[in-house]
């Protein structure tokens, strides 16, 4: 995860795109909620989030982080 990336790079100073996955289902398993397969409305939401993350990545590459933050936050 992110700790491994920071350890390998030797810094936490790098650009990242965060995608929220919502609240843990009551009585549910957090790991399964985050890493499991999404269905129904959750799948649609994650498909849209992946699309926006890809668009944000393109803006970061072409126009920089600040522009991407202004457009996508």
């Amino acid at each position: 995860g992110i700790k491994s990336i920071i350890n390998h790079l030797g810094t936490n100073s790098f650009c990242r795109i965060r995608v929220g996955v919502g609240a843990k289902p009551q009585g549910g398993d957090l790991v399964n909620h985050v890493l499991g397969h999404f269905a129904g409305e959750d799948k649609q939401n994650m498909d849209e989030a992946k699309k926006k993350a890809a668009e944000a990545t393109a803006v970061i590459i072409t126009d920089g982080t600040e522009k991407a933050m202004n457009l996508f936050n």
Side-chain angles (χ1 to χ4, degrees):
I2 194 73
K3 289 180 184 179
S4 176
I5 294 169
I6 291 169
N7 186 47
H8 279 66
L9 293 176
T11 182
N12 66 354
S13 181
F14 54 88
C15 183
R16 58 186 102 169
I17 297 173
R18 297 178 183 191
V19 177
V21 295
K24 177 179 117 176
Q26 196 168 17
D29 176 27
L30 181 60
V31 172
N32 187 47
H33 177 68
V34 173
L35 300 177
H37 295 284
F38 296 100
E41 185 178 341
D42 288 338
K43 182 176 182 338
Q44 291 174 341
N45 290 339
M46 287 307 297
D47 288 346
E48 182 63 26
K50 288 187 281 186
K51 180 181 172 189
K52 285 185 179 182
E55 292 170 1
T57 301
V59 173
I60 290 168
I61 292 168
T62 60
D63 299 314
T65 304
E66 188 171 335
K67 172 89 179 226
M69 287 190 302
N70 287 330
L71 290 172
F72 293 93
N73 283 342

